[in-house]
């Protein structure tokens, strides 16, 4: 399996522009998570989906951020308009939540976003 | 979510065992103890998890105190590749949510 795939790996944009980050989870997984990592705040959970349905978006910083999961194999995280403080590494992770009590999350390589 | 406390950093020598501690005095009966690590410039990766009994896998061992208020991740022979941030996380795996809440972790440096 190719693992969790994220694109782009690096994104540099200017303040006010729209940014879209993409994630392809591991085939067969039914949970998907978006995280953000900065030096100041560490690794923060932004939102997660179970079976393509958003379950908890309490970590989404503000209305400028939105996430969608139109099908089991694709998710996007959009920032519109972007601001310099959004600069961070954004990770996507997926897991399979089934009958077993514990599920393991598998992380993608991340997208490093720089907003100038 | 119950909180965990870890040392900010630790050092080890290559090929020696490493014991990474984690305190979780407010752990509840249904909380599992999960360990993930993050190598430089990579996403976190799963290491091991347990509930009450000690656990072993190919990467590490997890020793859980009898009262479950602390645990120790054991790397039996550290290699340079084990230099990473190690996160100890509690999660109610039987509950409604399967999210992980990461703390600040322990930065492990491995000296050759």
């Amino acid at each position: 399996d190719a693992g969790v795939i994220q694109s782009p790996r690096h994104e540099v944009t200017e303040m006010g522009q729209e940014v879209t980050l993409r994630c392809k989870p591991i085939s067969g997984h039914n949970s998907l998570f978006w995280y953000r990592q900065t030096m100041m705040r560490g690794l923060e959970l932004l939102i997660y989906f179970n079976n393509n349905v958003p379950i908890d978006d309490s970590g989404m910083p503000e209305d400028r951020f939105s996430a969608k999961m139109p099908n089991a194999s694709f998710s996007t995280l959009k920032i519109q308009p972007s601001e310099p403080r959004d600069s961070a590494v954004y990770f996507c992770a997926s897991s399979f939540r089934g009958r077993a009590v514990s599920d393991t999350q598998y992380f993608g390589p991340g997208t490093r976003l720089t907003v100038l | 979510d119950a909180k965990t406390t870890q040392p900010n950093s630790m050092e080890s020598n290559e090929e020696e065992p490493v014991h990474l501690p984690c305190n979780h005095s407010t752990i509840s009966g249904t909380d599992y103890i999960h360990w993930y690590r993050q190598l430089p410039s990579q996403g976190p990766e799963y290491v091991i998890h347990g509930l009450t009994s000690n656990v072993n896998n190919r990467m590490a061992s997890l020793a859980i105190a009898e009262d479950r208020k602390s645990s120790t991740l054991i790397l039996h022979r550290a290699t340079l590749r084990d230099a990473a941030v190690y996160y100890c996380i509690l999660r109610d795996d039987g509950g409604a949510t399967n999210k992980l809440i990461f703390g600040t972790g322990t930065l492990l440096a491995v000296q050759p």
Side-chain angles (χ1 to χ4, degrees):
Chain A
D1 197 322
V4 176
I5 298 173
Q6 292 187 247
S7 64
R9 294 293 309 277
H10 301 273
E11 176 81 26
V12 180
T13 190
E14 293 188 346
M15 183 174 63
Q17 297 298 306
E18 177 179 294
V19 175
T20 300
L21 310 181
R22 298 172 175 79
C23 175
K24 177 178 170 55
I26 292 173
S27 177
H29 282 188
N30 54 10
S31 293
L32 184 137
F33 307 81
W34 282 101
Y35 294 85
R36 177 175 68 176
Q37 187 169 36
T38 62
M39 288 295 293
M40 290 295 294
R41 301 177 66 89
L43 196 58
E44 305 173 276
L45 176 66
L46 301 177
I47 185 172
Y48 80 95
F49 298 81
N50 280 348
N51 297 312
N52 312 337
V53 176
I55 302 300
D56 185 347
D57 65 355
S58 59
M60 296 286 263
E62 48 198 272
D63 292 345
R64 297 185 298 107
F65 285 69
S66 63
K68 293 182 179 180
M69 192 163 186
N71 56 62
S73 59
F74 183 66
S75 177
T76 59
L77 178 67
K78 186 175 293 187
I79 308 172
Q80 166 62 18
S82 59
E83 297 182 3
R85 59 191 168 124
D86 301 330
S87 298
V89 180
Y90 290 80
F91 290 104
C92 176
S94 71
S95 71
F96 176 73
R97 193 174 198 201
R99 291 184 179 179
V101 176
S102 292
D103 59 296
T104 295
Q105 290 188 18
Y106 296 84
F107 285 75
T111 295
R112 181 174 295 277
L113 173 65
T114 303
V115 183
L116 303 175
Chain B
D1 298 297
K3 184 176 173 56
T4 63
T5 304
Q6 300 177 253
N8 288 333
S9 62
M10 291 185 64
E11 278 194 9
S12 173
N13 294 319
E14 198 175 10
E15 299 190 2
E16 289 186 357
V18 181
H19 291 234
L20 296 164
C22 181
N23 288 320
H24 29 78
S25 58
T26 60
I27 191 170
S28 71
T30 53
D31 283 338
Y32 281 69
I33 303 160
H34 291 255
W35 284 82
Y36 280 72
R37 73 179 184 180
Q38 187 172 20
L39 302 173
S41 301
Q42 295 188 27
E45 64 176 352
Y46 168 81
V47 178
I48 200 167
H49 76 280
L51 181 62
T52 56
S53 304
N54 295 343
V55 184
N56 300 295
N57 66 21
R58 63 175 181 81
M59 288 182 70
S61 295
L62 177 60
I64 302 172
E66 195 168 336
D67 64 4
R68 301 213 319 128
K69 293 185 176 182
S70 66
S71 61
T72 302
L73 179 70
I74 302 167
L75 306 180
H76 295 286
R77 287 183 70 223
T79 69
L80 297 178
R81 194 192 175 278
D82 291 321
V85 178
Y86 287 78
Y87 297 97
C88 170
I89 305 165
L90 301 183
R91 187 176 73 177
D92 180 359
D93 284 3
T97 177
N98 54 335
K99 66 182 182 181
L100 293 171
I101 304 299
F102 287 79
T104 54
T106 296
L107 176 61
L108 175 66
V110 180
Q111 305 300 328

